[in-house]
Amino acid sequence: DAKTTQPTSMDCAEGRAANLPCNHSTISGNEYVYWYRQIHSQGPQYIIHGLKNNETNEMASLIITEDRKSSTLILPHATLRDTAVYYCIVRVLQGGGNKLTFGTGTQLKVEL
Amino acid sequence: EAGVTQFPSHSVIEKGQTVTLRCDPISGHDNLYWYRRVMGKEIKFLLHFVKESKQDESGMPNNRFLAERTGGTYSTLKVQPAELEDSGVYFCASSQGGGRGPRNEQFFGPGTRLTVL
């Protein structure tokens, strides 16, 4: 399984862009990068995923470096409700299933 | 559309007792997963059902844990007998497809907080 490395915590001012980095230097060519987040007392929530191209949806943008060894999740206009633990996950395929391997994640705190 | 639901939201039991957690996936989702986070640790995968069959149970910690998915609908996770180290939050997730496709994101329930005294 490819391992991911994320900063333990980050702060962001409300209304500003939050840029959350992730290193996955041992990622394989057919593995995708997924981002989930967990808001306190809730279950994890899917945000976005990508293989090698940059991706954008209504929640966030995902920038993957050309060598695919790192990526950045961008929340363009962070709000207080975006305070959560953000997990960068490399997709594991085992027996046809899609189990997710969570690391320690980044605790993002959005402040006024 | 209803999301993944879990019952109960909280459970407090004594060591040696039995507890059964229930998960109702999103309607039509063939894939159902159990995860848990024990105190101070990361969220860990327990097992994966495809319909009523166990696809991957590599994360089940020991034989005190039994998961079932009758008829491929809801699932139960029984812990018997419960030990102190089983305390934590148990999450259930479901996805529409499975296999090798990347688009089948997992939708998580709110979790069941289990406390073993």
Side-chain angles (χ1 to χ4, degrees):
Chain A
D1 298 353
K3 304 294 184 184
T4 62
T5 305
Q6 300 177 251
T8 302
S9 63
M10 294 182 66
D11 293 333
C12 179
E14 189 177 34
R16 296 294 189 105
N19 297 280
L20 294 93
C22 178
N23 288 319
H24 31 78
S25 59
T26 59
I27 191 170
S28 300
N30 61 349
E31 290 181 307
Y32 289 73
V33 179
Y34 276 72
W35 283 83
Y36 278 75
R37 73 180 181 182
Q38 186 180 20
I39 297 171
H40 183 61
S41 298
Q42 298 180 21
Q45 176 190 24
Y46 166 82
I47 302 173
I48 198 168
H49 73 274
L51 181 62
K52 54 185 178 182
N53 296 322
N54 298 338
E55 302 288 344
T56 296
N57 63 20
E58 66 278 5
M59 290 183 68
S61 295
L62 174 60
I63 308 298
I64 303 175
T65 58
E66 190 169 344
D67 63 8
R68 301 210 323 124
K69 292 185 177 182
S70 65
S71 60
T72 301
L73 178 73
I74 300 172
L75 307 179
H77 306 286
T79 69
L80 299 179
R81 290 176 295 179
D82 292 321
T83 293
V85 179
Y86 286 77
Y87 296 97
C88 170
I89 297 168
V90 173
R91 174 76 164 256
V92 175
L93 297 179
Q94 180 170 328
N98 305 319
K99 73 177 184 180
L100 298 170
T101 302
F102 290 86
T104 54
T106 296
Q107 171 67 64
L108 175 67
K109 185 176 181 181
V110 181
E111 300 173 305
L112 292 172
Chain B
E1 177 183 313
V4 176
T5 57
Q6 294 186 244
F7 182 83
S9 57
H10 294 82
S11 180
V12 181
I13 61 172
E14 294 188 350
K15 175 183 174 181
Q17 290 186 321
T18 298
V19 63
T20 299
L21 313 180
R22 172 170 171 144
C23 168
D24 286 81
I26 293 172
S27 178
H29 281 194
D30 288 340
N31 293 271
L32 187 149
Y33 310 81
W34 284 98
Y35 295 82
R36 74 171 181 176
R37 184 207 296 274
V38 295
M39 185 66 70
K41 299 291 183 63
E42 300 160 7
I43 298 172
K44 294 289 189 183
F45 166 83
L46 294 178
L47 88 160
H48 168 210
F49 283 99
V50 177
K51 296 185 180 179
E52 69 275 9
S53 300
K54 293 176 184 176
Q55 180 76 20
D56 178 0
E57 51 184 329
S58 61
M60 294 289 267
N62 52 60
N63 59 11
R64 296 185 294 103
F65 289 76
L66 175 63
E68 295 181 323
R69 190 180 183 193
T70 306
T73 55
Y74 70 90
S75 175
T76 58
L77 180 64
K78 179 188 291 188
V79 185
Q80 179 182 29
E83 299 289 345
L84 299 179
E85 63 264 25
D86 300 331
S87 294
V89 183
Y90 289 75
F91 294 105
C92 175
S94 71
S95 68
Q96 186 170 14
R100 302 180 186 279
R103 298 189 58 81
N104 297 306
E105 62 261 30
Q106 297 179 24
F107 296 88
F108 283 77
T112 293
R113 182 173 296 278
L114 174 65
T115 302
V116 183
L117 301 176

